[in-house]
Amino acid sequence: MTLPKTMRAVEISKPGGPEVLQLIEAPVPVPGPGQILIEVAYAGVNRPDALQRAGAYAPPPSASPLPGLEASGRVAALGPDVAGWKVGDAVCALLPGGGYAEYVVTPAAHALPVPAGMELREAACLPETCYTVWSNVFQRGGLKAGEVFLVHGGSSGIGTTAIQIASALGARVFTTAGSAEKCRVCEELGAEHAVNYREADFVEAVRAAGGADLILDMVGGDYIPRNVKALADDGRLVQIAFLSGPKVELNFAQVMTRRLTITGSTLRPQSDLAKARIAEDLRAHVWPLIEAGRVRVVMDSEYPLAEAAEAHRRIESSGHIGKIVLKVS
């Protein structure tokens, strides 16, 4: 296929609020060794994009400075040494950056086929959340069937994905959310109990079930000591973000005497090989659940590429339930 020389893209003109996102013309990237070029149909919008826009989450030196960590579309070109993909294949992919654009490059090993029966709009919502949930809940956190799992922010993209995958694989899922409507959605997705954190104490609810074997938290701040209290003996806490701040006073005596594990990770700085291994696990363990209808995408809203600023305002309002996407083409 003949590729254009330039494309529409959204850049961060300077660190700041949503208004700094500007539509520009940019060169179409060229795939290098082991990379594919994707003609983007939809790009997922995620909180790390907003952090990058604000100047708090710099991309790796080799990554595109444009925002966007996941997208769906069709393979437009192959770089050298790429096997397993051909031009025209429908894909969704984890990106090092650059998703808010008509074309983007990414390692071929970080792309996955669009699940059978799924539209590209929904497929754009899969990579960032599925990679994050699988690597933290199952690889790092070691969640097993029958264990009690607490995920905070249950109505977020991460939360709705974690609830469904953990429930489908046999865990007892508890979650927190900020309204009765959000709690209802979480329970419909498979949560045994959703706690409205504005009205009730999640520690009490989880301890009543014997304590959590695993907690996935993106809130931080004063949630950290409360998470420790909510854990069962030998429980694990996995931290993936700090919406309420990274610093807190914590009595580590409980960690020692109850044999607790506190760990965490960020996805973007991990090696290409680590991300490729996550992709292999997703294809083997999660994609069959999606194709069987046991895990679905929860969509909140869609915006044109030129209205990326409005999409950022939506995600930062915390009023959304599920995923937000940009329609690129």
Side-chain angles (χ1 to χ4, degrees):
M1 61 184 296
T2 302
L3 296 172
K5 299 293 186 184
T6 62
M7 63 180 183
R8 294 184 309 140
V10 170
E11 72 167 2
I12 301 168
S13 59
K14 61 182 178 180
E19 69 280 355
V20 306
L21 296 175
Q22 302 292 327
L23 193 66
I24 61 166
E25 288 286 321
V28 171
V30 177
Q35 294 182 328
I36 58 174
L37 176 71
I38 299 172
E39 183 177 8
V40 176
Y42 292 88
V45 177
N46 297 284
R47 283 193 178 270
D49 303 342
L51 290 173
Q52 179 179 335
R53 186 209 70 225
Y57 191 44
S62 61
S64 168
L66 302 176
L69 298 176
E70 62 182 347
S72 67
R74 294 193 177 274
V75 176
L78 307 175
D81 305 319
V82 170
W85 298 108
K86 65 182 185 298
V87 172
D89 282 346
V91 296
C92 57
L94 187 74
L95 310 172
Y100 291 17
E102 291 180 311
Y103 292 88
V104 67
V105 293
T106 198
H110 300 174
L112 288 156
V114 172
M118 180 172 282
E119 300 292 331
L120 289 173
R121 179 174 181 263
E122 286 76 25
C125 303
L126 294 174
E128 177 73 10
T129 52
C130 287
Y131 270 79
T132 299
V133 169
W134 188 264
S135 61
N136 287 288
V137 175
F138 296 95
Q139 291 182 337
R140 182 168 294 275
L143 184 66
K144 298 177 179 62
E147 289 191 317
V148 174
F149 171 51
L150 169 63
V151 55
H152 290 296
S155 61
S156 67
I158 295 292
T160 55
T161 302
I163 289 168
Q164 292 182 85
I165 297 175
S167 177
L169 294 179
R172 297 178 60 194
V173 182
F174 290 70
T175 191
T176 59
S179 71
E181 170 66 11
K182 290 181 176 182
C183 287
R184 181 189 64 78
V185 170
C186 291
E187 290 178 350
E188 288 177 351
L189 292 173
E192 181 176 320
H193 183 41
V195 178
N196 185 339
Y197 62 79
R198 302 182 193 277
E199 299 177 352
D201 180 11
F202 72 82
V203 176
E204 182 178 322
V206 174
R207 292 299 302 177
D213 297 293
L214 177 68
I215 298 176
L216 182 67
D217 182 38
M218 63 286 290
V219 180
D222 65 2
Y223 267 43
I224 297 174
R226 296 172 68 194
N227 286 331
V228 168
K229 291 180 181 178
L231 284 170
D233 291 354
D234 297 297
R236 295 93 67 196
L237 169 62
V238 180
Q239 200 73 40
I240 59 170
F242 296 102
L243 297 178
S244 291
K247 296 181 180 180
V248 70
E249 183 175 310
L250 180 65
N251 182 346
F252 266 77
Q254 286 193 68
V255 177
M256 294 169 60
T257 59
R258 295 172 53 214
R259 304 171 302 282
L260 306 180
T261 299
I262 299 177
T263 184
S265 76
T266 54
L267 181 59
R268 195 175 193 183
Q270 294 187 45
S271 70
D272 285 351
L273 179 58
K275 294 173 187 175
R277 287 173 174 164
I278 299 169
E280 290 173 1
D281 273 4
L282 290 174
R283 190 188 286 242
H285 301 292
V286 176
W287 256 231
L289 297 175
I290 296 171
E291 293 183 340
R294 299 180 67 190
V295 173
R296 64 180 177 88
V297 171
V298 179
M299 294 288 305
D300 179 81
S301 49
E302 174 189 315
Y303 295 83
L305 180 64
E307 295 179 15
E310 290 305 314
H312 275 223
R313 291 187 180 97
R314 176 65 178 166
I315 201 167
E316 290 184 310
S317 76
S318 295
H320 61 292
I321 297 177
K323 295 285 293 191
I324 300 168
V325 296
L326 298 176
K327 188 179 190 303
V328 179
S329 62

